[in-house]
Amino acid sequence: MAVEENKGPKFGMRHMQAFLIFSNIVVIYISRLNIGVAVVAMTHAETTNPDFPEYNWNEKEVSYVLSSFFWGYVLTQFLGGALCKRFGATLTLGWGTFSTAVLSAITPWCVSWGGWKAFCVIRALQGLFQGILFPSIHGHLAKWSPVTERTLLGALSLTGIDCGNVLSLGVSGLIAEGPMGWPGISYVSGGLCFLWCLLWFIFAADNVTKSRFASQAEKHYIESSMERSEDFHKKRIPTPWKAIFLSLPFNAFVVARCAESWGLSILQIQLPLYMNGVLNMKIKSNALSTALPFLVMFGFSYIFVFVANILQSKKIMSLWNIRRTINTIAYWIPALGLIAIGFLEESQKTWTLVIMAVCGGVNSGATIGSCLNTIDLSANHAGMLMGIVNTAANFMPLITPLVVGAVVTDVHNRSQWQIVFIIAAAVFFFSNLFYITCGTSATQPWDAADFLERKDAENPKPSKSYVQTKSFYRRRGSFTLTK
């Protein structure tokens, strides 16, 4: 009879780490996305609480405030992976979130002193500090997730994105209309981040062996499940840059994540503009319509988690087959949905909302399908991989408006929007085809701590005397040399 493996408590410290990451994503997304409601409250006080100062900012100044977060965000993704490797996720995540909390708390004072320019500086600094978080999150998950629980723990953690999206829309509006007014949005965001930091510095650890609260059974379970558990005890593992950038599975992963960022930009930003311009839907003034895609994504994400966990735990499908099947669903169904929306008439507004919600919900499967692939390819370099990928992917929302602006010269022209949707569908389709064909969930050889040492041993560098002698004979015109 098979002996059941002792995995430790039902709710162990690995589950606690997943909960902490989930809640971290929720609080940083609230602090990141509350800007939309905050700016409206600050420039149109009569719509919320008129007892607080109102600012007369023009559209250009508001656009600077709205975009300023990403000025900093795209700059520190790569740095986040390096900091996580050097100092560990506990310090990187903790201090990155603490800095966000401080900046949120001082926002009202800075705006009253420096206006929209000070607001831009605060938001850009928040972007700098939040840019290091997601690479650290992936690095932390890699250290704590047993192979058989990677999908479950990783997906449950990253559902904080959808939860944060939903809460930021609802909570920010209620606070702005309440007695705290628009300054309360910043104070509550900062307070939530401070509270999270307190829990994080108590319960977090860079890996299970450093945890004060993990049981011996859980420590043994997690370490024994890792393919190279001995590597986790090494403080510094050299990064094999050349091997990473020449890795076909990694490049397939990069393409998939860039395409996801492109598609989300179309679904969440450009699609509402189309529905307003072509279908005459005042979607921005309808809170339910705005929140609907995020609510559906939040619900669908747990369906994907449930299904993927059953398929893996029951050994019905391999991890890679689960990843590419779910990623195909998450990419190809929205591709078809975008094309379909382009042909709907103004009288079919309900169908448009349904397809938009379904596309957003199904697309949440990309978390399991491709986002967690960093941990599969390399647990030791997962944070660094995510830093590279997020740097590339976060340029997509900057590029898509330029493409849409070049194609759509008249927002009421259906044919022009159809071209935009066809481009997005093609990006979804071909990127996923490349990913499921060339990607993998197998740990890559360059994940090993001694990979570079073995490479050097296989290809020793020529001695200094040989190089000097070769250079001498080259100048003399003779190339006949022996080592």
Side-chain angles (χ1 to χ4, degrees):
M1 295 179 62
V3 179
E4 185 177 353
E5 187 176 11
N6 187 354
K7 300 180 180 180
K10 291 293 184 181
F11 185 86
M13 284 309 299
R14 65 189 186 279
H15 304 107
M16 185 64 182
Q17 305 305 306
F19 169 74
L20 287 171
I21 291 176
F22 168 86
S23 53
N24 175 261
I25 296 173
V26 170
V27 298
I28 65 172
Y29 260 68
I30 290 175
S31 70
R32 178 190 305 186
L33 300 176
N34 61 25
I35 185 67
V37 175
V39 167
V40 172
M42 295 165 76
T43 55
H44 298 85
E46 73 280 358
T47 63
T48 52
N49 188 333
D51 296 333
F52 292 86
E54 180 176 313
Y55 297 93
N56 186 26
W57 298 337
N58 59 42
E59 290 297 323
K60 187 176 182 180
E61 292 167 346
V62 168
S63 68
Y64 286 150
V65 172
L66 293 175
S67 64
S68 56
F69 176 89
F70 295 95
W71 302 347
Y73 191 69
V74 296
L75 297 178
T76 52
Q77 296 291 329
F78 188 82
L79 178 63
L83 290 175
C84 182
K85 285 194 68 175
R86 177 66 179 83
F87 300 106
T90 303
L91 288 176
T92 309
L93 268 170
W95 287 109
T97 306
F98 182 81
S99 302
T100 296
V102 172
L103 291 167
S104 292
I106 65 173
T107 294
W109 178 82
C110 290
V111 173
S112 65
W113 168 72
W116 67 270
K117 293 180 181 179
F119 206 176
C120 285
V121 172
I122 288 289
R123 294 290 296 177
L125 289 173
Q126 284 185 319
L128 283 171
F129 285 111
Q130 289 195 23
I132 68 176
L133 299 184
F134 266 93
S136 301
I137 284 171
H138 280 251
H140 195 63
L141 284 171
K143 300 293 186 183
W144 276 91
S145 301
V147 175
T148 55
E149 296 182 14
R150 278 179 185 168
T151 298
L152 177 64
L153 295 178
L156 287 175
S157 300
L158 296 183
T159 54
I161 296 173
D162 304 313
C163 184
N165 279 322
V166 173
L167 289 178
S168 66
L169 291 173
V171 172
S172 299
L174 292 175
I175 295 172
E177 293 176 355
M180 290 191 294
W182 62 259
I185 297 176
S186 297
Y187 296 144
V188 171
S189 297
L192 289 173
C193 289
F194 280 127
L195 177 60
W196 180 87
C197 288
L198 178 63
L199 294 174
W200 177 253
F201 284 120
I202 292 174
F203 294 105
D206 287 336
N207 57 56
V208 68
T209 61
K210 295 181 179 180
S211 175
R212 295 171 293 170
F213 304 103
S215 66
Q216 289 300 319
E218 186 176 23
K219 289 181 179 179
H220 180 266
Y221 168 60
I222 294 176
E223 285 207 291
S224 62
S225 74
M226 302 293 183
E227 293 186 38
R228 300 187 178 102
S229 61
E230 68 278 0
D231 291 351
F232 283 16
H233 300 287
K234 298 185 177 181
K235 292 184 177 180
R236 298 185 187 179
I237 301 176
T239 305
W241 296 111
K242 183 178 179 181
I244 289 174
F245 284 110
L246 293 179
S247 170
L248 186 60
F250 175 68
N251 282 294
F253 168 61
V254 173
V255 169
R257 296 312 301 166
C258 287
E260 166 71 1
S261 185
W262 183 289
L264 273 182
S265 179
I266 298 296
L267 281 170
Q268 295 179 355
I269 300 174
Q270 303 301 330
L271 190 55
L273 297 178
Y274 163 80
M275 296 166 74
N276 191 322
V278 176
L279 303 181
N280 293 317
M281 293 179 64
K282 305 303 179 184
I283 189 125
K284 288 188 175 181
S285 63
N286 189 326
L288 177 61
S289 299
T290 304
L292 184 60
F294 298 111
L295 287 168
V296 177
M297 288 180 77
F298 190 38
F300 266 70
S301 61
Y302 285 102
I303 295 175
F304 282 118
V305 170
F306 178 75
V307 172
N309 187 51
I310 289 179
L311 292 174
Q312 188 174 11
S313 61
K314 302 292 184 182
K315 298 182 179 180
I316 299 172
M317 294 175 68
S318 67
L319 179 58
W320 176 236
N321 283 333
I322 292 172
R323 293 241 189 276
R324 60 183 178 182
T325 299
I326 292 180
N327 207 69
T328 298
I329 294 171
Y331 279 40
W332 286 1
I333 289 180
L336 293 173
L338 283 170
I339 294 175
I341 286 176
F343 289 94
L344 292 177
E345 301 295 334
E346 187 175 339
S347 60
Q348 298 172 302
K349 293 178 181 179
T350 301
W351 276 108
T352 304
L353 284 175
V354 170
I355 294 175
M356 179 181 177
V358 170
C359 286
V362 170
N363 186 251
S364 66
T367 298
I368 293 173
S370 56
C371 188
L372 293 173
N373 197 223
T374 50
I375 305 173
D376 301 332
L377 297 177
S378 175
N380 285 320
H381 305 295
M384 189 64 74
L385 298 187
M386 195 60 189
I388 297 170
V389 170
N390 256 13
T391 300
N394 275 290
F395 278 101
M396 296 301 107
L398 303 178
I399 297 173
T400 49
L402 301 178
V403 173
V404 173
V407 175
V408 180
T409 56
D410 178 9
V411 293
H412 304 289
N413 190 315
R414 178 191 301 274
S415 299
Q416 293 177 354
W417 280 105
Q418 286 174 338
I419 295 173
V420 171
F421 296 150
I422 289 172
I423 292 173
V427 169
F428 265 140
F429 180 84
F430 288 107
S431 64
N432 180 68
L433 186 63
F434 181 45
Y435 175 69
I436 64 177
T437 304
C438 301
T440 183
S441 63
T443 301
Q444 297 302 288
W446 40 265
D447 175 63
D450 61 347
F451 174 78
L452 291 177
E453 296 174 10
R454 289 190 283 105
K455 275 292 184 182
D456 289 340
E458 293 172 3
N459 302 295
K461 295 180 180 180
S463 65
K464 184 177 181 181
S465 60
Y466 168 72
V467 174
Q468 292 174 340
T469 306
K470 183 176 180 180
S471 176
F472 171 77
Y473 279 100
R474 179 179 285 116
R475 291 196 299 270
R476 293 287 299 270
S478 174
F479 296 93
T480 305
L481 283 173
T482 57
K483 290 186 182 181

